[in-house]
Amino acid sequence: MKILYIPIGVGTYHMETAGACFEASRKLLQEIDPEIICPESLLLSVPAVAGFIGDHTPDLVILQNVTFANAAYTAEVLRRVTCPIVLWTLREPAGEPGGRLKMNALTGAFASANTLHQFREEKPVFLFGDPEEVRTSLTAAIRAAKARKALKELTIAAVGHTPQGFGFGRALDQDLMKTFGCELISIEARELMEKAKNGEPDEKASEGLVGLEQTPEERRLGFLKLYRAYKDFVEENHIGALASRCWPDFFTDYGTPVCSVLSVLNAEGIPCACECDIYGALSMYLGQLLTGSPAFFGDPVALNEEDNTLTFWHCGMASCNLARTDTGAAVGVHPNRKIGPTMEFGLKPAQHVTLLRVGRDKDGSFRLFVAKGRALDRPKQYLGTSVVVETEPDVKDMVSFLLENGYEPHYAVIYGDAAESLEMLGRMLNIKVDRL
């Protein structure tokens, strides 16, 4: 990940103040990421900007107006880089009334923003404030840029097809490549079933599961063999995220649900969605990428206005390491088919969670829904796996917004606060973000 810090200005302003601001900014950046490439001094001319960029091919540019600088500075940056740009503007220092304008950075920001608007489709990430004021947002922007780069290296797999009526989860490889940069590969579910039937069990999958020994031996072995088939497929193809068909095939054709296989893979760092929802798997991947924790994939099933909560549920494939400590990753049977093993637990509480859906609008364009909340300390709500989220927005207004705008019925519940980075990532990818 290559990040360039480009602090621009002109030498006719108050250079002592400008120099102090530059040093404070550079110090902050190197605290956030020591690998950020910084110049030794302010870049006070267009040739200085060109010389600093040189042969670098950055993944992110932090373009800072330290003092006023005309549009030619930004134009030179655009001539040389194609990556996202964070436009950071410093405050005008306090001075004597009627005294000299020391830096005039904000006017420079307008010149830069106008130039960016003319030549870039995506909107820049704009930060305003002195170094400590923007520490959190700057960190979020760098995480977003790293996520954008990681997407270009992602291979996402579709195992089988979405069930009838679940077309909102289908994706075309060209669409994913064009917008996110990731690769989509596909395999028929029956191929992995056949590999599992003819393969050997992998006992590693049973580690940490509570009550698996109560599952009939035939189905326990079916689960362990299916895990090995999926794990081998993931490793052989360098899969970073996966969306798998589940019902009815794994009940009717294989005899053992895939739910617990996906649960274990989620805990091992491979985001997995069921019902072959590729955009659901992509949502989970982004959540894990930004927080380092597995995300939960669930349906919004119960709204409670009194405590401003929305319960998310799914049949039984939540990541094992998201289970409540009092139950652990308990095993049961599928609520409809009565066949196991599937996961049966409530999710652990968290002070910060983020709701995310990578979806598509009616014109086919991509969009992100983002909202914040907290996961409450509540036991399992229904057969399967569930979490009760107290949302920051009014929950009824939020649900109304989602319904009125035709959002999909699957969401990633991300364990951690990733909202600001997701909003910035949307800008970097030129995707609409609905953040409530």
Side-chain angles (χ1 to χ4, degrees):
M1 182 73 186
K2 183 178 286 189
I3 303 172
L4 292 188
Y5 166 49
I6 302 180
I8 57 176
V10 293
T12 55
Y13 285 90
H14 195 276
M15 284 295 99
E16 184 178 349
T17 301
C21 289
F22 162 70
E23 291 296 342
S25 300
R26 184 168 65 166
K27 180 175 181 291
L28 170 67
L29 288 167
Q30 293 181 335
E31 287 173 0
I32 294 173
D33 186 344
E35 298 300 315
I36 294 175
I37 300 170
C38 302
E40 292 300 317
S41 60
L42 282 167
L43 304 176
L44 300 178
S45 69
V46 173
V49 170
F52 173 65
I53 297 174
D55 295 330
H56 289 303
T57 54
D59 302 294
L60 178 69
V61 161
I62 300 169
L63 179 61
Q64 184 189 53
N65 288 99
V66 181
T67 76
F68 173 79
N70 64 49
Y73 288 71
T74 303
E76 187 65 25
V77 174
L78 291 177
R79 288 182 63 238
R80 296 176 176 274
V81 307
T82 58
C83 64
I85 293 174
V86 172
L87 185 58
W88 176 13
T89 304
L90 296 168
R91 290 184 180 276
E92 180 64 26
E96 293 295 326
R100 183 188 178 192
L101 186 65
K102 289 187 175 181
M103 298 204 303
N104 197 20
L106 186 56
T107 303
F110 275 88
S112 294
N114 175 260
T115 306
L116 291 168
H117 181 73
Q118 299 298 325
F119 291 96
R120 286 287 184 91
E121 290 295 324
E122 72 274 16
K123 295 182 183 299
V125 173
F126 177 65
L127 302 181
F128 176 77
D130 293 329
E132 283 306 317
E133 291 183 83
V134 303
R135 178 185 287 269
T136 299
S137 294
L138 194 54
T139 302
I142 291 169
R143 286 177 180 161
K146 289 180 177 179
R148 179 181 179 271
K149 180 177 175 63
L151 282 170
K152 293 183 177 181
E153 300 168 358
L154 170 66
T155 299
I156 188 168
V159 178
H161 307 279
T162 59
Q164 183 177 4
F166 286 71
F168 58 82
R170 295 174 192 161
L172 295 176
D173 49 2
Q174 296 96 331
D175 291 345
L176 287 174
M177 178 67 75
K178 180 179 179 181
T179 301
F180 299 98
C182 54
E183 178 186 13
L184 174 65
I185 67 171
S186 302
I187 187 173
E188 294 296 335
R190 57 178 161 72
E191 292 186 49
L192 292 185
M193 289 185 209
E194 286 302 314
K195 287 183 180 180
K197 289 176 183 177
N198 299 318
E200 297 295 323
D202 187 340
E203 292 288 346
K204 180 185 176 183
S206 63
E207 296 175 4
L209 301 188
V210 179
L212 180 64
E213 68 280 359
Q214 299 173 18
T215 300
E217 184 65 8
E218 179 184 0
R219 305 211 189 282
R220 189 186 77 86
L221 287 174
F223 155 61
L224 297 176
K225 289 183 175 184
L226 192 60
Y227 165 80
R228 182 164 188 169
Y230 268 72
K231 183 72 171 179
D232 287 348
F233 171 70
V234 164
E235 291 180 347
E236 289 166 5
N237 294 279
H238 308 288
I239 304 301
L242 182 145
S244 178
R245 186 173 176 90
C246 46
W247 61 269
D249 311 60
F250 285 89
F251 299 101
T252 59
D253 298 345
Y254 183 70
T256 301
V258 73
C259 309
S260 293
V261 172
L262 304 183
S263 174
V264 174
L265 289 173
N266 271 312
E268 293 177 345
I270 305 298
C272 295
C274 57
E275 294 173 328
C276 208
D277 184 349
I278 295 167
Y279 298 126
L282 184 57
S283 302
M284 298 171 76
Y285 174 80
L286 288 174
Q288 179 176 294
L289 196 62
L290 292 169
T291 65
S293 172
F296 177 58
F297 174 80
D299 303 341
V301 296
L303 184 156
N304 188 323
E305 299 98 318
E306 291 184 6
D307 57 10
N308 202 54
T309 61
L310 188 60
T311 299
F312 292 87
W313 164 92
H314 228 276
C315 314
M317 47 72 72
S319 177
C320 304
N321 53 10
L322 291 180
R324 292 171 55 86
T325 55
D326 56 352
T327 63
V331 170
V333 298
H334 192 274
N336 298 333
R337 304 280 177 159
K338 307 304 180 186
I339 297 174
T342 61
M343 307 315 297
E344 285 285 330
F345 56 78
L347 273 64
K348 64 185 180 181
Q351 192 60 37
H352 300 286
V353 297
T354 307
L355 306 179
L356 172 64
R357 175 67 199 187
V358 176
R360 307 195 75 164
D361 213 336
K362 59 186 175 182
D363 62 358
S365 62
F366 284 99
R367 60 183 179 175
L368 305 181
F369 170 77
V370 180
K372 294 166 64 174
R374 66 187 183 107
L376 301 185
D377 189 5
R378 300 280 178 87
K380 181 181 69 175
Q381 301 293 293
Y382 310 99
L383 292 173
T385 51
S386 61
V387 61
V388 180
V389 176
E390 179 184 353
T391 62
E392 277 195 10
D394 178 88
V395 69
K396 193 170 183 181
D397 290 346
M398 185 184 82
V399 169
S400 296
F401 173 86
L402 291 168
L403 294 173
E404 288 168 5
N405 288 278
Y407 267 93
E408 298 85 348
H410 288 161
Y411 293 82
V413 181
I414 300 166
Y415 270 66
D417 184 352
E420 189 169 14
S421 287
L422 287 166
E423 186 171 8
M424 292 175 175
L425 178 61
R427 284 177 172 258
M428 293 176 184
L429 295 172
N430 199 27
I431 296 175
K432 175 186 176 185
V433 179
D434 289 320
R435 181 178 173 185
L436 299 188

